Amino acid sequence: MAATQDAKGKAEGADQNFDYMFKLLIIGNSSVGKTSFLFRYADDAFTSAFVSTVGIDFKVKTVYKNDKRIKLQIWDTAGQERYRTITTAYYRGAMGFILMYDITNEESFGAVQDWSTQIKTYSWDNAQVVLAGNKCDMEEERVVSVDSGRLLAEQLGFEFFETSAKDNINVKQTFERLVDLICDKMSDSLDGDPAVTAGAPTAKLTDSAPPLQQPGCNC
Amino acid sequence: MGENMSKPSAKPFQDVTFFTSFKPYNPPATNDAAPPRPSIFSTLRRPPVAKPNDFIPLFSDCITAASSRTQEYLIFKDPEDKFHPSPDALTQIFLMTYISQSVNLNLTDIFNCTAMTPEQRILLGADWVWAVLEKSTKNPRIQIAVQVLHLSDKEGGEEDGVLPETCSESVQMAQRESSDRNMYERMVDFCTSVGKDCYALFLFFGRKNDKSNIYGVLSNNFEAAIGKCDKIDRALLENFFKGSRYLHTPSGMMQSIVTRNEGDPLTLMIKFS
Ligand SMILES: Nc1nc2c(ncn2[C@@H]2O[C@H](COP(=O)(O)OP(=O)(O)O)[C@@H](O)[C@H]2O)c(=O)[nH]1
Ligand SMILES: [Mg+2]
């Protein structure tokens, strides 16, 4: 176990490089573009080959906001039913979700309601959600209108974007909005009942970083 | 809507068809790590086939190529005893040979191989995952998660050869996320979470009394072993060979897997080289 110990110590040293760490999850049916979306955001790349994700994976990206360094730990989940147990286990610590469907795939849109129920079932109450209708570059094959996407988001209380991982449309914006929402929620919670944040999943993830006693992230 | 959700149930959407939907926009990918150049083996082979269980001899061919290539390096000994190939290099040689061969034989539409990312290797404990694909959807029907064990591994199944200074920030993060279990336990947990159609295969690149051969122990029931012992370690895994009279061939292993009744436990020892 020595390797883990070493890695831990080292990593804790490295943790000083950021002020906050947010754990985000991307969920939605298989093949809607979750992996591509993360790939575009973290590595600014896109591939048209479909490699079905096994279980879970993640990437790390640091963003800056009002002089604060926010480390995003972004989890990419596999949409297939066989991975449901392992993926939902990672919902618990998440502060934000990108719930994705494919505007050319009616079924993936129909499943949004159920994914939203999954979030309510397995995640922290204050988790923020952005609904993303991906593949908006494929206008000719569109089967879900922008309006129905927006309406559903309103009903569920989520923010909404149409995106394209392929053409890099609204990818950065989606993540930035989610980070804003989390920051807002954090300052709300601090202004209000401190107990709300006491059990927040941040506690575990940022155990060596300055936790929530700093006044929000002034977003 | 929320009422009919059963909270802790492992498979809340079992009977709903939503999640089996699948819309391939492109021909399903083979593997991103596949080198494009055909190997010498491609010229020796008959044209590709696509019948359900016909993949087994092809799988066996791929394993033979990968095992014998790996063995060449496994038995290598520097006369000055200074130079040792790293465990990771051996894993890579096996996987690269397997992947190029399976691409050459057109096996990947029926039976694919997905190499794990460095983060996934830590989180899921697997080096790669094989999958028998459903014909229509290309979704995995049966999976085999594979972890290679090297003679030089440190106990505990931690990644070795990866020094903390040299591994990326995200790999360190992955290690912290899963530091409560060793690599063996992570892979067994992953397979258990998927179900009985997901097997864990521990692949031994050499065992103590036979350093130059490749063996495996495969099971969809390792969790039963964890139940009895408080932890999985190399000794426990090697113990499977002690009482075993019979070593399967790779195709025998695959045959047992595809003919097994759904849900039945299966544990096998295999000789790969
Ligand atoms: N046209 C288009 N194709 C996309 C887009 N995003 C993903 N894809 C393709 O859709 C397929 C599935 O993408 P993937 O990211 O693997 O989906 P996941 O299963 O949700 O992770 C791949 O072939 C991608 O190349 C997009 O924005 N536009
Ligand atoms: Mg994916």
Side-chain angles (χ1 to χ4, degrees):
Chain A
M1 276 303 185
T4 318
Q5 293 298 322
D6 289 355
K8 210 170 194 165
K10 180 78 183 175
E12 273 162 11
D15 279 353
Q16 263 118 57
N17 301 333
F18 64 88
D19 301 296
Y20 297 94
M21 167 128 82
F22 292 171
K23 181 170 172 176
L24 312 178
L25 247 80
I26 310 178
I27 62 171
N29 275 17
S30 182
S31 89
V32 298
K34 301 179 293 297
T35 303
S36 308
F37 195 77
L38 178 54
F39 205 51
R40 170 62 76 191
Y41 183 60
D43 301 336
D44 196 21
F46 178 81
T47 158
S48 56
F50 178 35
V51 179
S52 180
T53 305
V54 173
I56 44 149
D57 199 0
F58 76 94
K59 284 180 183 287
V60 178
K61 176 147 172 129
T62 305
V63 295
Y64 296 85
K65 204 170 160 52
N66 303 331
D67 294 333
K68 294 274 191 277
R69 280 154 306 186
I70 305 176
K71 190 147 286 185
L72 304 179
Q73 188 186 40
I74 310 163
W75 292 80
D76 178 22
T77 63
Q80 292 141 2
E81 170 57 36
R82 66 194 283 107
Y83 301 118
R84 201 53 37 87
T85 307
I86 189 160
T87 52
T88 51
Y90 285 84
Y91 281 37
R92 216 167 306 130
M95 304 166 79
F97 289 82
I98 294 173
L99 199 176
M100 185 170 290
Y101 65 91
D102 171 353
I103 66 149
T104 71
N105 182 324
E106 184 75 54
E107 218 167 340
S108 72
F109 184 65
V112 166
Q113 183 66 252
D114 291 278
W115 286 109
S116 145
T117 309
Q118 295 264 299
I119 296 174
K120 293 204 174 69
T121 309
Y122 294 103
S123 87
W124 178 46
D125 282 345
N126 284 329
Q128 301 298 303
V129 187
V130 175
L131 181 67
N134 192 41
K135 307 197 187 178
C136 72
D137 57 284
M138 297 175 80
E139 195 53 54
E140 322 81 75
E141 279 150 82
R142 175 193 288 276
V143 292
V144 182
S145 72
V146 188
D147 284 341
S148 29
R150 194 177 293 121
L151 187 67
L152 181 59
E154 250 166 53
Q155 285 165 359
L156 295 168
F158 302 159
E159 297 269 329
F160 176 66
F161 285 97
E162 280 206 346
T163 62
S164 167
K166 185 170 181 238
D167 290 355
N168 200 3
I169 301 168
N170 280 338
V171 176
K172 196 160 170 250
Q173 287 82 346
T174 301
F175 280 100
E176 280 173 355
R177 188 69 196 118
L178 188 55
V179 167
D180 286 350
L181 289 168
I182 294 168
C183 289
D184 290 349
K185 194 76 202 177
M186 270 168 65
S187 15
D188 283 0
S189 306
L190 290 165
D191 294 344
D193 179 6
V196 178
T197 50
T202 3
K204 183 200 162 217
L205 285 165
T206 56
D207 47 10
S208 57
L212 294 168
Q213 56 266 47
Q214 289 187 11
C217 58
N218 285 333
C219 314
Chain B
M1 172 72 229
E3 295 80 47
N4 53 20
M5 291 282 304
S6 48
K7 193 163 184 163
S9 153
K11 303 205 163 180
F13 291 139
Q14 200 145 36
D15 300 321
V16 181
T17 49
F18 284 127
F19 300 100
T20 54
S21 84
F22 189 92
K23 194 177 181 188
Y25 285 90
N26 295 287
T30 48
N31 201 297
D32 47 355
R37 213 169 343 128
S39 85
I40 49 155
F41 299 102
S42 59
T43 56
L44 304 173
R45 283 294 141 209
R46 58 201 173 274
V49 291
K51 277 178 234 136
N53 281 352
D54 275 5
F55 78 92
I56 296 179
L58 299 181
F59 169 75
S60 181
D61 286 350
C62 296
I63 291 291
T64 305
S67 298
S68 45
R69 175 78 49 91
T70 309
Q71 234 179 341
E72 288 172 30
Y73 297 89
L74 206 54
I75 58 178
F76 166 81
K77 205 167 173 348
D78 172 21
E80 300 186 3
D81 204 26
K82 270 186 291 200
F83 173 71
H84 310 274
S86 77
D88 265 350
L90 293 171
T91 305
Q92 286 160 2
I93 289 163
F94 186 95
L95 195 52
M96 281 189 290
T97 316
Y98 175 87
I99 291 172
S100 4
Q101 186 67 347
S102 71
V103 169
N104 289 341
L105 299 183
N106 238 347
L107 174 61
T108 53
D109 271 356
I110 322 163
F111 186 81
N112 80 353
C113 174
T114 306
M116 295 294 96
T117 65
E119 291 79 14
Q120 283 180 313
R121 283 178 72 183
I122 311 266
L123 293 168
L124 309 178
D127 291 305
W128 67 85
V129 176
W130 278 318
V132 181
L133 302 178
E134 229 159 75
K135 233 206 193 130
S136 52
T137 61
K138 298 288 174 212
N139 277 336
R141 189 163 64 83
I142 299 169
Q143 285 172 301
I144 306 171
V146 186
Q147 182 186 128
V148 178
L149 279 74
H150 303 272
L151 275 171
S152 57
D153 277 345
K154 286 177 234 132
E155 190 47 78
E158 280 309 324
E159 282 285 276
D160 85 340
V162 185
L163 300 168
E165 307 82 61
T166 58
C167 68
S168 74
E169 179 188 27
S170 57
V171 165
Q172 292 179 31
M173 242 181 225
Q175 278 166 342
R176 266 179 296 155
E177 286 280 334
S178 0
S179 56
D180 53 329
R181 294 157 302 149
N182 68 31
M183 291 287 272
Y184 317 123
E185 291 161 345
R186 284 175 226 165
M187 188 164 82
V188 170
D189 283 356
F190 167 61
C191 294
T192 309
S193 80
V194 174
K196 285 283 178 223
D197 55 3
C198 184
Y199 295 78
L201 169 60
F202 293 98
L203 203 55
F204 292 79
F205 282 10
R207 280 168 48 213
K208 258 187 231 104
N209 299 324
D210 182 2
K211 300 194 180 194
S212 59
N213 277 300
I214 300 176
Y215 294 89
V217 49
L218 168 129
S219 181
N220 60 356
N221 202 32
F222 278 117
E223 71 274 14
I226 312 185
K228 281 182 230 138
C229 319
D230 31 313
K231 66 184 280 244
I232 305 183
D233 53 20
R234 187 178 173 121
L236 185 144
L237 294 172
E238 288 233 31
N239 232 357
F240 278 91
F241 293 94
K242 291 228 175 84
S244 152
R245 344 85 288 189
Y246 187 68
L247 291 170
H248 284 73
T249 60
S251 51
M253 170 191 89
M254 201 55 82
Q255 201 67 51
S256 308
I257 289 175
V258 297
T259 54
R260 179 195 61 104
N261 289 324
E262 213 176 299
D264 282 356
L266 178 70
T267 302
L268 303 172
M269 271 58 66
I270 312 104
K271 189 158 187 259
F272 284 88
S273 53

